[in-house]
Amino acid sequence: MKLTTPNQIAGKVMEIRKGAVTAIVYVEIAGELNVETSVTVASLEKLGLYEGKDVVLIINPGDVIIGCE
């Protein structure tokens, strides 16, 4: 995956709390720091996110976007 932003942090999905429309995804970075991000259920399914999956957090001012292979 190639992106134009240098603000990328590798992590692992530790927990997913799925609601009717959105899901809260908890990503562990740096061994013990957790980041919480919100995605739509459609995006959760499109990315195939699951607990234990390696992901990349893409940090935009005001936004955290999840990317994965």
Side-chain angles (χ1 to χ4, degrees), residues 1-11 27 29-30 35 55-60 63-69:
M1 173 174 44
K2 294 180 183 180
L3 301 169
T4 59
T5 181
N7 302 327
Q8 301 175 40
I9 302 170
V27 178
I29 60 173
V35 175
V55 296
V56 177
L57 298 177
I58 299 121
I59 310 298
N60 243 351
D63 295 312
V64 176
I65 303 165
I66 295 179
C68 60
E69 295 292 330

Side-chain angles (χ1 to χ4, degrees), residues 19-54:
V21 177
T22 61
I24 304 299
V25 180
Y26 296 89
V27 178
E28 182 181 81
I29 60 173
E32 47 187 67
L33 179 63
N34 285 313
V35 175
E36 176 184 317
T37 185
S38 176
V39 299
T40 64
V41 171
S43 293
L44 181 78
E45 294 168 355
K46 182 176 181 178
L47 290 171
L49 295 179
Y50 56 86
E51 292 176 3
K53 183 169 183 142
D54 291 324

